[in-house]
Amino acid sequence: MKTKLIALAAAAALATGSITGCSTTSKPPPDTPAAKRQSLEAEVDAALAQLYAQDPAARDLVSKARATLVFPSVVTAGFIVGGSYGQGALRSNLGSTDGYYKTVAGSVGLLAGAESKAIYFLFMTQGALDKFKASKGWTVGADASVSMMKVGANAQVDSATSQQAVVGYVLTKGGLMANLSLEGTKISPIDL
């Protein structure tokens, strides 16, 4: 009788251990670099899907780009003087991640509150991409000009803008933003 109870207890312990053991191996601990990369990759995928849903022509343009830098959530906050910050990933035209970056910008003017937006930089030429990758800190306007996409009412991409070396999109909860300048936005590589 004791042998059956011991065998039953051992089997129950083994079953419990194997069930709980499986659940911890699929996801890295939350504060590790691997977990941060995994979370950022998921956010980048979601931001690209949102862009394609908002502007179907963007999918074709992204596929033509040498690489696309995606910042899924750039938060801007302040009162008169403010700043913005976000983290993102550079994806090659093959879909693999080539590095992780942060963006920082300051602003002065009529600002009160906070907002979040997704920012996309499409490197359309190899020269523009090489210059970006070689820099330790890249600033919009100083190191390269970024042509903001102008999307018409019929969601057709402006052909003159799409032929530039670096093209940008900004997407808020209200949709694609037109006539927005990213001048002075600084982008730097980060280790994740």
Side-chain angles (χ1 to χ4, degrees):
M1 181 83 169
K2 283 185 179 179
T3 308
K4 286 184 180 179
L5 284 174
I6 292 173
L8 186 59
L14 183 61
T16 303
S18 67
I19 290 171
T20 58
C22 290
S23 66
T24 59
T25 58
S26 63
K27 196 173 184 183
D31 289 339
T32 65
K36 290 176 184 177
R37 283 191 303 271
Q38 188 176 30
S39 175
L40 188 54
E41 290 291 337
E43 291 174 21
V44 167
D45 289 339
L48 284 168
Q50 186 179 11
L51 176 64
Y52 300 151
Q54 186 74 36
D55 179 15
R59 183 181 300 275
D60 184 49
L61 198 58
V62 168
S63 72
K64 291 178 182 174
R66 299 287 184 197
T68 303
L69 179 59
V70 180
F71 292 102
S73 179
V74 177
V75 177
T76 303
F79 183 74
I80 300 175
V81 175
S84 52
Y85 179 82
Q87 292 185 345
L90 180 68
R91 295 263 177 98
S92 73
N93 60 354
L94 301 175
S96 62
T97 297
D98 288 344
Y100 299 96
Y101 294 84
K102 68 179 178 180
T103 180
V104 178
S107 63
V108 177
L110 296 174
L111 174 68
E115 72 171 351
S116 177
K117 59 189 170 262
I119 300 177
Y120 310 81
F121 294 97
L122 285 64
F123 295 92
M124 304 306 291
T125 67
Q126 191 63 45
L129 178 60
D130 291 344
K131 183 176 180 180
F132 172 77
K133 284 181 161 183
S135 72
K136 296 294 180 204
W138 187 82
T139 303
V140 175
D143 293 309
S145 63
V146 175
S147 298
M148 297 305 295
M149 289 306 299
K150 296 180 181 84
V151 180
N154 61 356
Q156 294 299 313
V157 172
D158 178 279
S159 62
T161 304
S162 68
Q163 295 176 11
Q164 302 301 314
V166 183
V167 175
Y169 280 99
V170 176
L171 187 62
T172 65
K173 289 184 181 191
L176 286 167
M177 293 183 70
N179 301 324
L180 178 77
S181 173
L182 295 174
E183 201 80 16
T185 300
K186 184 167 177 69
I187 299 169
S188 306
I190 56 175
D191 290 325
L192 276 184

